Short mmCIF file of all heavy atoms in Angstrom, two decimals:
data_model
loop_
_atom_site.label_atom_id
_atom_site.label_comp_id
_atom_site.label_asym_id
_atom_site.label_seq_id
_atom_site.Cartn_x
_atom_site.Cartn_y
_atom_site.Cartn_z
N VAL A 86 2.02 12.25 2.95
CA VAL A 86 3.40 12.54 3.34
C VAL A 86 3.53 14.01 3.71
O VAL A 86 4.12 14.38 4.73
CB VAL A 86 4.38 12.20 2.20
CG1 VAL A 86 5.81 12.54 2.60
CG2 VAL A 86 4.28 10.74 1.83
N ILE A 87 2.96 14.88 2.86
CA ILE A 87 3.02 16.32 3.11
C ILE A 87 2.26 16.67 4.38
O ILE A 87 2.74 17.47 5.21
CB ILE A 87 2.45 17.09 1.90
CG1 ILE A 87 3.33 16.84 0.67
CG2 ILE A 87 2.35 18.58 2.21
CD1 ILE A 87 2.74 17.37 -0.62
N LEU A 89 1.62 14.73 6.98
CA LEU A 89 2.34 14.24 8.15
C LEU A 89 3.50 15.16 8.50
O LEU A 89 3.72 15.48 9.67
CB LEU A 89 2.87 12.83 7.89
CG LEU A 89 3.63 12.19 9.06
CD1 LEU A 89 2.68 11.94 10.23
CD2 LEU A 89 4.30 10.91 8.64
N THR A 90 4.24 15.62 7.49
CA THR A 90 5.35 16.53 7.74
C THR A 90 4.86 17.81 8.39
O THR A 90 5.49 18.33 9.33
CB THR A 90 6.07 16.85 6.41
OG1 THR A 90 6.56 15.64 5.84
CG2 THR A 90 7.24 17.79 6.65
N ALA A 91 3.73 18.32 7.91
CA ALA A 91 3.18 19.55 8.49
C ALA A 91 2.75 19.35 9.94
O ALA A 91 3.00 20.19 10.81
CB ALA A 91 1.99 20.03 7.65
N ILE A 92 2.11 18.20 10.21
CA ILE A 92 1.63 17.91 11.57
C ILE A 92 2.79 17.77 12.55
O ILE A 92 2.76 18.30 13.66
CB ILE A 92 0.77 16.63 11.57
CG1 ILE A 92 -0.56 16.89 10.85
CG2 ILE A 92 0.50 16.16 12.99
CD1 ILE A 92 -1.39 15.65 10.67
N LEU A 93 3.82 17.04 12.11
CA LEU A 93 4.95 16.79 13.01
C LEU A 93 5.89 17.98 13.11
O LEU A 93 6.75 18.02 13.98
CB LEU A 93 5.74 15.55 12.53
CG LEU A 93 4.98 14.23 12.54
CD1 LEU A 93 5.89 13.09 12.09
CD2 LEU A 93 4.41 13.93 13.92
N GLY A 94 5.72 18.95 12.22
CA GLY A 94 6.53 20.16 12.31
C GLY A 94 7.90 20.04 11.69
O GLY A 94 8.79 20.83 11.98
N GLY A 95 8.09 19.05 10.82
CA GLY A 95 9.40 18.86 10.22
C GLY A 95 9.65 19.84 9.10
O GLY A 95 8.75 20.23 8.37
N THR A 96 10.90 20.23 8.96
CA THR A 96 11.30 21.16 7.89
C THR A 96 11.92 20.43 6.72
O THR A 96 12.00 20.96 5.63
CB THR A 96 12.32 22.18 8.42
OG1 THR A 96 13.49 21.47 8.82
CG2 THR A 96 11.77 22.96 9.58
N GLY A 97 12.43 19.23 7.01
CA GLY A 97 13.07 18.46 5.96
C GLY A 97 14.54 18.79 5.77
O GLY A 97 15.24 18.16 5.00
N CYS A 98 15.04 19.81 6.50
CA CYS A 98 16.43 20.21 6.28
C CYS A 98 17.40 19.36 7.08
O CYS A 98 18.56 19.22 6.73
CB CYS A 98 16.64 21.69 6.63
SG CYS A 98 16.22 22.10 8.33
N GLY A 99 16.97 18.81 8.23
CA GLY A 99 17.80 17.90 8.98
C GLY A 99 19.08 18.49 9.54
O GLY A 99 20.10 17.81 9.58
N THR A 100 19.08 19.76 9.98
CA THR A 100 20.30 20.40 10.44
C THR A 100 20.47 20.31 11.95
O THR A 100 21.56 20.57 12.46
CB THR A 100 20.31 21.88 10.04
OG1 THR A 100 19.12 22.51 10.57
CG2 THR A 100 20.31 22.03 8.51
N ASN A 101 19.43 19.99 12.69
CA ASN A 101 19.55 19.93 14.13
C ASN A 101 20.25 18.66 14.58
O ASN A 101 19.96 17.57 14.08
CB ASN A 101 18.16 19.99 14.79
CG ASN A 101 17.51 21.34 14.58
OD1 ASN A 101 18.18 22.31 14.26
ND2 ASN A 101 16.20 21.39 14.74
N LYS A 102 21.16 18.77 15.52
CA LYS A 102 21.87 17.62 16.04
C LYS A 102 20.96 16.84 16.98
O LYS A 102 20.33 17.41 17.86
CB LYS A 102 23.12 18.08 16.79
CG LYS A 102 23.99 16.92 17.29
CD LYS A 102 25.24 17.45 17.95
CE LYS A 102 26.11 16.29 18.44
NZ LYS A 102 27.33 16.78 19.10
N PRO A 103 20.86 15.52 16.80
CA PRO A 103 19.99 14.74 17.67
C PRO A 103 20.46 14.78 19.12
O PRO A 103 21.65 14.82 19.40
CB PRO A 103 20.09 13.32 17.09
CG PRO A 103 21.37 13.31 16.32
CD PRO A 103 21.54 14.69 15.79
N ARG A 104 19.49 14.77 20.07
CA ARG A 104 19.83 14.81 21.48
C ARG A 104 19.80 13.41 22.08
O ARG A 104 19.90 13.24 23.29
CB ARG A 104 18.85 15.72 22.23
CG ARG A 104 17.38 15.32 22.09
CD ARG A 104 16.49 16.27 22.87
NE ARG A 104 15.08 16.00 22.69
CZ ARG A 104 14.40 15.07 23.32
NH1 ARG A 104 15.03 14.28 24.16
NH2 ARG A 104 13.11 14.89 23.12
N PHE A 105 19.68 12.40 21.25
CA PHE A 105 19.65 11.02 21.71
C PHE A 105 20.89 10.31 21.16
O PHE A 105 21.47 10.70 20.14
CB PHE A 105 18.38 10.30 21.23
CG PHE A 105 18.01 10.65 19.82
CD1 PHE A 105 18.63 10.02 18.75
CD2 PHE A 105 17.04 11.61 19.56
CE1 PHE A 105 18.31 10.34 17.45
CE2 PHE A 105 16.72 11.94 18.24
CZ PHE A 105 17.36 11.30 17.19
N GLU A 107 22.49 7.43 19.26
CA GLU A 107 22.01 6.49 18.24
C GLU A 107 23.08 5.46 17.89
O GLU A 107 24.28 5.74 17.93
CB GLU A 107 21.58 7.24 16.98
CG GLU A 107 22.63 8.18 16.42
CD GLU A 107 22.10 8.93 15.20
OE1 GLU A 107 21.52 8.27 14.31
OE2 GLU A 107 22.27 10.15 15.15
N LEU A 115 22.53 5.78 12.66
CA LEU A 115 21.19 5.36 12.25
C LEU A 115 20.48 6.42 11.43
O LEU A 115 19.91 6.12 10.39
CB LEU A 115 20.36 5.01 13.49
CG LEU A 115 18.88 4.72 13.26
CD1 LEU A 115 18.69 3.50 12.38
CD2 LEU A 115 18.17 4.54 14.61
N THR A 116 20.50 7.67 11.90
CA THR A 116 19.76 8.73 11.19
C THR A 116 20.28 8.93 9.76
O THR A 116 19.51 9.26 8.85
CB THR A 116 19.80 10.06 11.95
OG1 THR A 116 21.16 10.38 12.26
CG2 THR A 116 18.99 9.98 13.22
N ALA A 117 21.57 8.73 9.54
CA ALA A 117 22.12 8.88 8.19
C ALA A 117 21.58 7.79 7.28
O ALA A 117 21.22 8.04 6.12
CB ALA A 117 23.64 8.85 8.24
N LEU A 119 18.76 6.29 7.72
CA LEU A 119 17.33 6.56 7.53
C LEU A 119 17.11 7.64 6.48
O LEU A 119 16.14 7.58 5.71
CB LEU A 119 16.70 6.99 8.86
CG LEU A 119 16.62 5.91 9.94
CD1 LEU A 119 16.04 6.48 11.23
CD2 LEU A 119 15.78 4.73 9.45
N ARG A 120 18.00 8.62 6.42
CA ARG A 120 17.87 9.66 5.38
C ARG A 120 18.10 9.05 3.99
O ARG A 120 17.42 9.43 3.02
CB ARG A 120 18.84 10.80 5.64
CG ARG A 120 18.48 11.61 6.87
CD ARG A 120 19.29 12.88 7.02
NE ARG A 120 19.12 13.43 8.35
CZ ARG A 120 18.05 14.06 8.79
NH1 ARG A 120 17.02 14.23 7.98
NH2 ARG A 120 17.99 14.53 10.02
N ASP A 121 19.04 8.11 3.89
CA ASP A 121 19.24 7.43 2.61
C ASP A 121 17.98 6.66 2.21
O ASP A 121 17.55 6.70 1.06
CB ASP A 121 20.41 6.43 2.72
CG ASP A 121 21.76 7.12 2.69
OD1 ASP A 121 21.82 8.33 2.42
OD2 ASP A 121 22.77 6.43 2.96
N GLU A 123 14.86 7.19 3.28
CA GLU A 123 13.72 8.07 3.08
C GLU A 123 13.75 8.76 1.73
O GLU A 123 12.72 9.13 1.18
CB GLU A 123 13.67 9.12 4.20
CG GLU A 123 12.38 9.91 4.20
CD GLU A 123 12.39 11.01 5.24
OE1 GLU A 123 13.40 11.73 5.32
OE2 GLU A 123 11.39 11.17 5.95
N MET A 124 14.93 8.94 1.17
CA MET A 124 15.05 9.59 -0.13
C MET A 124 14.20 8.90 -1.18
O MET A 124 13.72 9.52 -2.12
CB MET A 124 16.51 9.58 -0.59
CG MET A 124 17.41 10.57 0.13
SD MET A 124 19.14 10.33 -0.35
CE MET A 124 19.06 10.72 -2.10
N GLN A 126 11.75 6.30 -0.24
CA GLN A 126 10.60 5.59 0.31
C GLN A 126 9.30 5.99 -0.36
O GLN A 126 8.44 5.16 -0.65
CB GLN A 126 10.48 5.84 1.81
CG GLN A 126 9.30 5.13 2.43
CD GLN A 126 9.08 5.48 3.88
OE1 GLN A 126 8.09 5.07 4.44
NE2 GLN A 126 9.98 6.21 4.49
N PHE A 127 9.12 7.30 -0.63
CA PHE A 127 7.86 7.77 -1.18
C PHE A 127 7.95 8.03 -2.68
O PHE A 127 7.01 8.49 -3.30
CB PHE A 127 7.42 9.04 -0.45
CG PHE A 127 7.29 8.84 1.03
CD1 PHE A 127 8.17 9.46 1.91
CD2 PHE A 127 6.32 8.02 1.54
CE1 PHE A 127 8.06 9.27 3.28
CE2 PHE A 127 6.20 7.82 2.92
CZ PHE A 127 7.07 8.44 3.78
N VAL A 164 15.66 3.84 20.13
CA VAL A 164 16.06 5.12 19.56
C VAL A 164 14.95 5.67 18.65
O VAL A 164 14.63 6.85 18.68
CB VAL A 164 17.38 5.00 18.77
CG1 VAL A 164 17.79 6.34 18.17
CG2 VAL A 164 18.48 4.47 19.69
N LEU A 165 14.35 4.79 17.85
CA LEU A 165 13.25 5.23 16.97
C LEU A 165 12.09 5.78 17.79
O LEU A 165 11.48 6.80 17.43
CB LEU A 165 12.78 4.06 16.11
CG LEU A 165 13.79 3.54 15.07
CD1 LEU A 165 13.22 2.30 14.36
CD2 LEU A 165 14.14 4.61 14.06
N GLU A 167 12.29 7.09 20.77
CA GLU A 167 12.72 8.38 21.35
C GLU A 167 12.69 9.47 20.30
O GLU A 167 12.32 10.61 20.58
CB GLU A 167 14.12 8.25 21.94
CG GLU A 167 14.55 9.49 22.71
CD GLU A 167 15.88 9.32 23.42
OE1 GLU A 167 16.47 8.22 23.33
OE2 GLU A 167 16.34 10.28 24.06
N MET A 168 13.06 9.13 19.08
CA MET A 168 13.00 10.10 17.99
C MET A 168 11.59 10.62 17.77
O MET A 168 11.37 11.78 17.43
CB MET A 168 13.53 9.46 16.70
CG MET A 168 15.03 9.24 16.68
SD MET A 168 15.58 8.20 15.29
CE MET A 168 15.16 9.25 13.89
N MET A 169 10.60 9.74 17.99
CA MET A 169 9.21 10.13 17.78
C MET A 169 8.70 11.10 18.84
O MET A 169 7.68 11.76 18.65
CB MET A 169 8.31 8.90 17.72
CG MET A 169 8.62 8.02 16.52
SD MET A 169 7.35 6.80 16.20
CE MET A 169 6.03 7.83 15.59
N THR A 170 9.42 11.21 19.96
CA THR A 170 9.02 12.17 21.01
C THR A 170 9.76 13.48 20.87
O THR A 170 9.48 14.43 21.61
CB THR A 170 9.32 11.60 22.41
OG1 THR A 170 10.74 11.51 22.60
CG2 THR A 170 8.68 10.24 22.59
N ASP A 171 10.70 13.56 19.92
CA ASP A 171 11.51 14.77 19.76
C ASP A 171 10.68 15.89 19.15
O ASP A 171 9.83 15.65 18.28
CB ASP A 171 12.73 14.46 18.88
CG ASP A 171 13.81 15.51 19.00
OD1 ASP A 171 13.65 16.60 18.43
OD2 ASP A 171 14.81 15.26 19.72
N ASN A 172 10.92 17.11 19.59
CA ASN A 172 10.18 18.26 19.07
C ASN A 172 10.51 18.54 17.61
O ASN A 172 9.77 19.26 16.93
CB ASN A 172 10.45 19.51 19.91
CG ASN A 172 9.84 19.41 21.29
OD1 ASN A 172 8.82 18.75 21.46
ND2 ASN A 172 10.46 20.05 22.27
N ASN A 173 11.62 18.04 17.15
CA ASN A 173 12.00 18.20 15.74
C ASN A 173 11.23 17.17 14.92
O ASN A 173 11.52 15.98 14.99
CB ASN A 173 13.51 18.01 15.59
CG ASN A 173 13.98 18.19 14.14
OD1 ASN A 173 13.18 18.24 13.21
ND2 ASN A 173 15.28 18.29 13.95
N GLY A 174 10.28 17.64 14.16
CA GLY A 174 9.45 16.73 13.38
C GLY A 174 10.20 15.90 12.39
O GLY A 174 9.74 14.84 11.96
N ASP A 175 11.40 16.36 11.97
CA ASP A 175 12.20 15.57 11.03
C ASP A 175 12.52 14.20 11.62
O ASP A 175 12.50 13.19 10.93
CB ASP A 175 13.51 16.30 10.71
CG ASP A 175 13.29 17.50 9.80
OD1 ASP A 175 12.32 17.48 9.04
OD2 ASP A 175 14.08 18.44 9.88
N TYR A 176 12.83 14.18 12.90
CA TYR A 176 13.18 12.92 13.54
C TYR A 176 11.98 11.99 13.65
O TYR A 176 12.10 10.77 13.51
CB TYR A 176 13.80 13.16 14.92
CG TYR A 176 15.15 13.83 14.86
CD1 TYR A 176 15.47 14.91 15.68
CD2 TYR A 176 16.12 13.39 13.96
CE1 TYR A 176 16.71 15.53 15.61
CE2 TYR A 176 17.35 14.00 13.87
CZ TYR A 176 17.65 15.07 14.70
OH TYR A 176 18.88 15.68 14.62
N GLY A 177 10.80 12.56 13.90
CA GLY A 177 9.60 11.74 13.94
C GLY A 177 9.33 11.08 12.60
O GLY A 177 9.00 9.89 12.52
N ARG A 178 9.52 11.86 11.53
CA ARG A 178 9.31 11.31 10.19
C ARG A 178 10.35 10.23 9.87
O ARG A 178 10.04 9.20 9.28
CB ARG A 178 9.38 12.45 9.17
CG ARG A 178 8.84 12.09 7.79
CD ARG A 178 9.05 13.23 6.81
NE ARG A 178 10.48 13.44 6.55
CZ ARG A 178 11.16 14.49 6.99
NH1 ARG A 178 10.58 15.42 7.72
NH2 ARG A 178 12.44 14.61 6.71
N LEU A 179 11.60 10.49 10.25
CA LEU A 179 12.65 9.51 10.02
C LEU A 179 12.40 8.22 10.81
O LEU A 179 12.68 7.11 10.33
CB LEU A 179 14.01 10.09 10.43
CG LEU A 179 14.65 11.09 9.47
CD1 LEU A 179 15.90 11.70 10.09
CD2 LEU A 179 14.99 10.45 8.13
N ALA A 180 11.87 8.35 12.02
CA ALA A 180 11.57 7.18 12.84
C ALA A 180 10.54 6.30 12.14
O ALA A 180 10.65 5.06 12.14
CB ALA A 180 11.07 7.60 14.21
N ILE A 181 9.54 6.92 11.54
CA ILE A 181 8.52 6.15 10.82
C ILE A 181 9.17 5.40 9.65
O ILE A 181 8.86 4.24 9.38
CB ILE A 181 7.39 7.06 10.33
CG1 ILE A 181 6.63 7.63 11.53
CG2 ILE A 181 6.44 6.32 9.40
CD1 ILE A 181 5.69 8.76 11.20
N SER A 182 10.11 6.07 8.97
CA SER A 182 10.85 5.40 7.90
C SER A 182 11.62 4.20 8.46
O SER A 182 11.72 3.16 7.81
CB SER A 182 11.83 6.38 7.24
OG SER A 182 11.15 7.42 6.58
N GLY A 183 12.17 4.37 9.68
CA GLY A 183 12.89 3.27 10.31
C GLY A 183 12.01 2.08 10.56
O GLY A 183 12.41 0.92 10.32
N PHE A 184 10.80 2.33 11.06
CA PHE A 184 9.88 1.23 11.30
C PHE A 184 9.46 0.57 9.99
O PHE A 184 9.25 -0.65 9.93
CB PHE A 184 8.66 1.72 12.08
CG PHE A 184 8.93 1.94 13.54
CD1 PHE A 184 8.76 3.20 14.10
CD2 PHE A 184 9.37 0.91 14.35
CE1 PHE A 184 9.03 3.41 15.46
CE2 PHE A 184 9.65 1.11 15.70
CZ PHE A 184 9.47 2.37 16.25
N HIS A 220 3.09 12.12 18.82
CA HIS A 220 1.90 12.61 18.13
C HIS A 220 1.11 11.42 17.59
O HIS A 220 1.67 10.50 16.99
CB HIS A 220 2.29 13.53 16.97
CG HIS A 220 1.14 14.34 16.46
ND1 HIS A 220 0.10 13.78 15.75
CD2 HIS A 220 0.85 15.66 16.59
CE1 HIS A 220 -0.79 14.72 15.45
NE2 HIS A 220 -0.35 15.87 15.95
N GLY A 223 1.70 10.32 14.05
CA GLY A 223 2.94 9.59 13.89
C GLY A 223 2.86 8.17 14.42
O GLY A 223 3.37 7.22 13.81
#
Side-chain angles (χ1 to χ4, degrees):
V86 178
I87 296 171
L89 181 67
T90 300
I92 290 173
L93 297 182
T96 62
C98 59
T100 57
N101 293 342
K102 184 177 180 180
R104 57 180 176 81
F105 40 81
E107 53 182 312
L115 172 63
T116 52
L119 293 177
R120 291 189 193 286
D121 284 351
E123 191 185 45
M124 286 173 63
Q126 180 186 173
F127 303 111
V164 180
L165 294 175
E167 188 174 359
M168 288 169 66
M169 295 194 71
T170 68
D171 197 284
N172 290 331
N173 181 348
D175 287 333
Y176 292 134
R178 195 185 66 251
L179 284 173
I181 294 168
S182 295
F184 284 119
H220 195 289

